[in-house]
Amino acid sequence: MPLNRHSPSPDYDRQPRLRGDAVCAGYGGRQVLTNVDFTVREGSVTVLLGPNGSGKSTLLKTLARTLAPSAGKVFLDGSDIHRQPTRTVAQRLGILPQSPTAPDGLTVRELVGLGRFPYQSLMRQWSRHDEAAVEEAMRVADVATFADRPVDALSGGQRQRCWIAMVLAQETDLLLLDEPTTFLDLKVQVDLLELLVSLAHTQGRTLLVVLHDL
């Protein structure tokens, strides 16, 4: 169910960035997905919509490499995502899990800074580019005004924007979000969805979002 109706038509001749082929997956011997083929449409927001237990989050986790399929394959940029190093995947794909939590006392700036982890190593420490990426992510997600406040002191909608800013700080153009509007007031839900759609419209990002409510 694409939300972005006014973006340019994707080039279907190109190889898709993220694709699942005949994916089977589940938990503890219980199969939830059976032979699912799925392609994420580039430059738009695509919504996985359905009731609880229908397999939306399972598909998202499998596409994001947090759940290994029992059969079939997931391809990121043409290569099996489950054979790629974690750091490499994190530099290409950002994921926001369902109901994330932050340690007590962590500030907004510190949380958003965690999005730069895929680029840190013994040879590459925190840089001006990392700082700029964090500042830009907070600006886009509209959380810069409380950058130095603890995340746990914010409202539900503000916290969710902080988590989105953390994913944006990864500087990937492919984002997967699992029920980012759960437990939020209707107006806050609409504001968040408008933010996500604007990322596709104005920045050309590709988003796959799990929702359970129209």
Side-chain angles (χ1 to χ4, degrees), residues 106-125:
L106 196 71
T107 68
V108 171
R109 190 185 304 277
E110 290 169 337
L111 175 66
V112 178
L114 296 178
R116 300 304 298 166
F117 174 77
Y119 304 97
Q120 306 300 307
S121 68
L122 290 176
M123 300 298 293
R124 186 191 183 286
Q125 299 301 308

Side-chain angles (χ1 to χ4, degrees), residues 91-171:
Q91 292 175 359
R92 299 176 179 176
L93 181 152
I95 178 170
L96 180 61
Q98 191 175 143
S99 303
T101 57
D104 291 343
L106 196 71
T107 68
V108 171
R109 190 185 304 277
E110 290 169 337
L111 175 66
V112 178
L114 296 178
R116 300 304 298 166
F117 174 77
Y119 304 97
Q120 306 300 307
S121 68
L122 290 176
M123 300 298 293
R124 186 191 183 286
Q125 299 301 308
W126 191 263
S127 68
R128 290 183 179 178
H129 180 79
D130 294 318
E131 190 66 35
V134 169
E135 294 295 332
E136 176 64 9
M138 290 193 297
R139 184 194 67 79
V140 171
D142 195 23
V143 297
T145 55
F146 34 84
D148 297 317
R149 292 176 59 185
V151 176
D152 51 17
L154 303 178
S155 69
Q158 290 171 333
R159 285 198 301 270
Q160 200 69 332
R161 282 180 175 268
C162 293
W163 285 104
I164 291 173
M166 186 196 73
V167 176
L168 293 179
Q170 286 182 239
E171 293 188 308

Side-chain angles (χ1 to χ4, degrees), residues 51-86:
N52 292 333
S54 60
K56 307 181 304 297
S57 293
T58 302
L59 177 58
L60 191 84
K61 291 176 182 177
T62 307
L63 292 173
R65 192 180 173 269
T66 58
L67 177 66
S70 57
K73 291 185 177 181
V74 177
F75 296 94
L76 174 63
D77 294 327
S79 299
D80 187 344
I81 194 173
H82 292 276
R83 293 182 178 273
Q84 298 184 38
T86 299

Side-chain angles (χ1 to χ4, degrees), residues 4 7 42-45 96 136-142 160-161 163-169 172-177 191-209:
N4 183 1
S7 60
E42 291 188 49
S44 65
V45 178
L96 180 61
E136 176 64 9
M138 290 193 297
R139 184 194 67 79
V140 171
D142 195 23
Q160 200 69 332
R161 282 180 175 268
W163 285 104
I164 291 173
M166 186 196 73
V167 176
L168 293 179
T172 68
D173 57 2
L174 184 56
L175 307 175
L176 279 61
L177 301 95
D191 289 343
L192 272 175
L193 288 174
E194 286 181 347
L195 168 63
L196 298 179
V197 171
S198 74
L199 295 176
H201 278 297
T202 64
Q203 299 185 12
R205 302 208 189 207
T206 299
L207 289 84
L208 178 63
V209 184

